Amino acid sequence: MPREGTGPDFIEALARGLEVITAFRPGQPVMSLSDVAAATGLARPTARRILLTLAELGYVRQQGGGFSLTPRVLDLGVAYVGSMGLWDVARPHLERLVEQTGESCSIAQLDGSDIVYVARVSMPKIVTLAVRIGTRFPALSTSLGKVLLAALPADEVAGVLAEPSRSGLRAVWQPERPEWEAELRAVRARGWAMTDEQLARGIRSVAAPLRDGSGRVVASVNVNAHAAETSVDVLLDHHLPLLLQAAGEISLDFARLESVPLTTRAGGAITKS
C-alpha cells in the first residue's frame, strides 16, 4: 500500500491506518506495538496512535501486551461484497453446485498478483489449505487466478505478476514467463482453467469466469477438490460442465441485477427497485 499519494487529495493518515490493519497476517493474530511498527515501517509513536484510534473505533483490541483485530474488521469486506450484490446473486447457484459435486465452491477476485476469496460454500472435508472469506493465494497457481489473469489485456499481465504476493504462501508451481504465457493463452481459448496440485499438494480445481452485463469478467468461480478423492477425469467430465452452467447462470443473474434501476428511499438509502 503506498504511503504517499500522487494527488493533493491523498490522505496519508488513512493509508497508514489501513496499512496497520493489513499488517496482521495468518498465524500472527496478536502483535506487539514493536511488531506492528516493524511490519509497516512506521515509527512506534505513529503506530501506537493508529492502533489506539482503531481500538476506539472497535477494529482493534488490546490483548495482554499486544493488539489483535476484532470481528468488526470483517464489516469492511462485507460492505464491499454487499455493495456488488454478487453474493446474493451467487449464493443459490453455489449451494446447488456444492450439492451436485459434493465439493467446496468459491468466488474470488484479483488484487494485485493475488486472488482474494469473496464468497464460498464449503463441504466439511480435510484439506491442505484453510480457505475463508478474505483468504489470499498467489493468482497464477490457482484456477480462479488463471481465469482472472487471462481476462486482462495480455500486455498487462507481466506487470500484475511482478507485484509481490501478500498471501504468505509460496506455490508449488513456479513457471517462467513463456510457460505461464502459454497457459493463459490456453485459458483464454477454452474459457476455463484447471490446476492440478500447482498451488499445494493434494489440491486440484477448475474455474470459470463470472461476467457482468457488458461481458467484462468481474470475478471467477471454482470447484475445489482433494486429489486423493477426485480424479482429473471426474473433475473435467462431471464437475466442469456443472461449473460452466452455474457460472453462466450467475453471470446472467448479475447482469439482470445491474439492469434494475436504482431507487432512492427516504433518508437517502439507495436500493434496487
Side-chain angles (χ1 to χ4, degrees):
M1 183 179 299
R3 184 73 53 76
E4 298 179 357
T6 57
D9 297 322
F10 184 85
I11 303 175
E12 184 179 356
L14 176 59
R16 288 178 171 181
L18 294 174
E19 193 172 3
V20 167
I21 289 176
T22 57
F24 291 83
R25 303 291 186 181
Q28 196 174 14
V30 180
M31 298 179 69
S32 67
L33 174 58
S34 297
D35 292 335
V36 173
T40 59
L42 295 169
R44 281 173 55 94
T46 301
R48 178 178 178 275
R49 288 197 301 272
I50 292 172
L51 284 166
L52 293 178
T53 299
L54 291 171
E56 190 168 338
L57 293 172
Y59 293 105
V60 167
R61 69 166 61 93
Q62 289 186 269
Q63 186 170 337
F67 297 85
S68 63
L69 298 179
T70 72
R72 187 170 186 180
V73 172
L74 295 174
D75 291 345
L76 302 175
V78 170
Y80 165 68
V81 176
S83 68
M84 290 186 64
L86 184 57
W87 172 232
D88 289 334
V89 167
R91 183 199 303 270
H93 299 288
L94 284 186
E95 291 175 345
R96 183 164 61 251
L97 188 57
V98 168
E99 291 177 1
Q100 292 172 327
T101 63
E103 308 286 0
S104 297
C105 301
S106 305
I107 293 176
Q109 293 186 297
L110 197 63
D111 183 20
S113 62
D114 293 335
I115 58 163
V116 180
Y117 285 78
V118 298
R120 180 169 172 82
V121 177
S122 60
M123 288 292 289
K125 293 187 176 185
I126 298 176
V127 294
T128 54
L129 293 174
V131 177
R132 59 184 64 86
I133 304 302
T135 293
R136 290 176 171 269
F137 289 137
L140 188 58
S141 299
T142 68
S143 60
L144 290 162
K146 288 180 183 180
V147 166
L148 297 170
L149 291 168
L152 296 176
D155 59 353
E156 294 182 10
V157 178
V160 170
L161 293 178
E163 298 183 33
S165 171
R166 293 161 54 197
S167 68
L169 175 72
R170 179 174 173 80
V172 172
W173 190 48
Q174 297 291 327
E176 298 295 331
R177 180 165 180 166
E179 187 177 359
W180 63 251
E181 285 183 331
E183 175 70 9
L184 294 184
R185 282 196 300 270
V187 173
R188 291 187 191 103
R190 66 180 178 238
W192 54 270
M194 185 184 85
T195 54
D196 187 7
E197 301 187 272
Q198 292 177 323
L199 177 64
R201 299 299 180 192
I203 296 176
R204 57 174 54 123
S205 67
V206 284
L210 298 178
R211 302 178 185 274
D212 62 13
S214 68
R216 181 175 63 95
V217 175
V218 295
S220 54
V221 58
N222 83 340
V223 175
N224 185 80
H226 197 289
E229 298 178 352
T230 305
S231 68
V232 172
D233 287 343
V234 170
L235 196 65
L236 296 182
D237 295 341
H238 181 264
H239 295 355
L240 178 59
L242 296 170
L243 170 69
L244 294 175
Q245 180 180 354
E249 292 171 348
I250 295 171
S251 297
L252 181 59
D253 284 354
F254 189 50
R256 289 170 177 159
L257 177 69
E258 286 185 310
S259 68
V260 176
L262 294 175
T263 300
T264 303
R265 291 180 178 174
I270 298 176
T271 61
K272 294 287 186 177
S273 60

